[in-house]
Amino acid sequence: MTVRTHRLANGFRIVTEDMAGLGSASIGIWVQAGCRHERAEQNGIAHFLEHMAFKGTGRRNALQIAEAIEDVGGYINAYTSREMTAYYARVLADDVPLAMDVIADIVLNSVFDPNEIEVERGVILQEIGQSHDTPDDVIFDWLQDVAYPDQPMGRPILGPAERVSAFTRDNLLGFVEEYYSPDRLILSAAGAVDHDQIVAAAEALFGGLECRAAPQAVLGVFKGGERREEKTLEQAHFTLALESPGYRAEDIYTAQIHAIGLGGGMSSRLFQEAREKRGLCYSIYASVGAFADTGMMTIYSGTSGEDVAGLADLCVDELKRAADDFSQAELDRARAQLKAGLLMGLESPASRAERLARMLAIWNRVPGLEETIARIDAVTVEGLRSYGAGLCERETAAMALYGPVASTPSVDALTARLAA
């Protein structure tokens, strides 16, 4: 398997990986524009654009876009994250040129028909309403907001209903003009692909775009805080977050292994102590989310109103204990889980294409898997304990609670307990 990259004269980047033995490919455009690039009055517009890409171009209406890919047995979709918007398809090898043409069409030539805008506005408002009815969706939006208050990094990807209700065609075109510059677009393809053919097609489709400066994203500053809403639910939903490294930081793999050991699986400390030994909850986990300039280590659990206070204290106590006695066996297990998850995921061309795009966006190159594995292998028990001790010294934390949560200690009380 060979990774190859190319940059057009206007800054448009191409990365491919030919995966021998496959008869299909995943190909897409990753745009370095997500909700953290939005101004307050634009919140939700990157996601709105993602939806509108499938609603018609100068050459195809919405049905024809879907039929073009599905007539050859393919699959097309998109997503919006805090830092990127992706439009991608999975097709058989012979249909890669078709997929490129369709994706280029929806990214470059969407017409934003006013009638379609109104139809899709209703769809997105339904999506927002559905998320509000899902406690474990709501609570993570709240957590992000209290961690990064009054910042683009803290705003919801879907945006608030009142903003979405007011977006106009000019608003959509304005965001495209600001951020859909060729130097912010990455074409990534993996599977049964021919690099030279893709470069030639990309030159024809994207080579004529003019490069233009885009506003810089506002830096994310973790501040912390608390939001709780008491509501009659079967479960109390609890989240606690501490700032962790961004994805360019030297200790990012230390942070990931620490989170896996703390709450990454059935053998993890939190699962064993909270669920298996004490029966305090059904689900509990810890994870690390990393961005360009910041990150969060998050613990989540759902439990009863009677147990949520004890569970919150237990989570803090396990964080403190890991700083003292994270073991070699835990390191070995967490490291194996991290490497296996990485390598198993890369058996899929879709996962490979996404990794290629993300690496190019982060590093402007694609580190080899052996380089990533070497960094994972370099994590030590001493480094994990030192990292864990640093978490315990954080002066601020973020917490979000939803349901029967009145008995839960405040975030300040939990932070004081962590530091004690």
Side-chain angles (χ1 to χ4, degrees), residues 14 37 116 122 129 147 183 204 225 236 263 269 287 290 319 333 373:
I14 303 152
H37 299 94
E116 295 289 0
D183 59 317
R269 290 180 175 230
S287 62
L319 275 166
R333 186 183 308 117
I373 295 299

Side-chain angles (χ1 to χ4, degrees), residues 19 339-353 355:
M19 300 171 68
K339 290 197 292 189
L342 170 64
L343 296 173
M344 289 177 186
L346 294 182
E347 293 180 357
S348 156
S351 297
R352 288 229 174 214
R355 177 182 183 270

Side-chain angles (χ1 to χ4, degrees), residues 109-369:
N109 303 317
S110 289
V111 294
F112 305 125
D113 177 84
N115 292 327
E116 295 289 0
I117 288 174
E118 293 310 313
V119 170
E120 207 59 25
R121 191 193 313 278
V123 171
I124 296 170
L125 290 172
Q126 292 290 337
E127 185 179 1
I128 292 170
Q130 180 177 308
S131 74
H132 289 170
D133 286 342
T134 309
D136 49 359
D137 282 349
V138 170
I139 199 166
F140 285 105
D141 277 347
W142 291 356
L143 186 70
Q144 195 78 21
D145 178 54
V146 296
Y148 301 97
D150 303 315
Q151 302 172 56
M153 183 64 81
R155 296 179 191 133
I157 292 170
L158 300 184
E162 59 271 22
R163 294 286 186 203
V164 171
S165 297
F167 289 145
T168 67
R169 184 174 187 272
D170 285 344
N171 295 148
L172 296 169
L173 289 168
F175 193 81
V176 170
E177 180 66 23
E178 279 188 293
Y179 287 105
Y180 279 51
S181 176
D183 59 317
R184 300 181 69 86
L185 306 181
I186 296 171
L187 189 155
S188 180
V193 295
D194 183 301
H195 178 80
D196 294 331
Q197 289 181 3
I198 287 176
V199 168
E203 182 69 63
L205 293 166
F206 298 95
L209 299 178
E210 292 185 5
C211 191
R212 52 192 183 272
Q216 292 297 308
V218 176
L219 291 177
V221 180
F222 187 100
K223 294 186 176 180
E226 174 184 325
R227 177 171 176 177
R228 68 174 70 204
E229 183 168 323
E230 183 73 17
K231 188 170 183 178
T232 303
L233 298 174
E234 286 295 320
Q235 287 218 305
H237 296 267
F238 164 82
T239 55
L240 179 70
L242 298 164
E243 186 174 21
S244 64
Y247 47 60
R248 294 192 183 100
E250 284 297 318
D251 56 351
I252 181 59
Y253 293 109
T254 300
Q256 290 181 346
I257 288 174
H258 179 275
I260 291 170
L262 182 69
M266 293 174 63
S267 61
S268 67
R269 290 180 175 230
L270 288 174
F271 191 95
Q272 285 294 311
E273 192 65 30
R275 174 173 163 156
E276 297 296 274
K277 294 181 182 178
R278 305 195 193 187
L280 292 177
C281 59
Y282 174 73
S283 64
I284 187 166
Y285 62 83
S287 62
V288 166
F291 308 102
D293 47 0
T294 184
M296 287 201 308
M297 190 285 294
T298 301
I299 297 171
Y300 165 82
S301 185
T303 187
S304 67
E306 294 77 19
D307 289 326
V308 65
L311 181 69
D313 287 342
L314 181 147
C315 290
V316 169
D317 293 345
E318 288 302 310
L319 275 166
K320 293 173 64 175
R321 192 166 67 85
D324 292 330
D325 64 2
F326 206 109
S327 70
Q328 184 66 47
E330 288 177 297
L331 166 56
D332 293 341
R333 186 183 308 117
R335 180 168 23 227
Q337 288 177 260
L338 181 58
K339 290 197 292 189
L342 170 64
L343 296 173
M344 289 177 186
L346 294 182
E347 293 180 357
S348 156
S351 297
R352 288 229 174 214
E354 181 165 12
R355 177 182 183 270
L356 295 174
R358 284 181 53 79
M359 293 298 98
L360 206 58
I362 293 168
W363 302 109
N364 205 26
R365 67 183 184 91
V366 180
L369 282 174

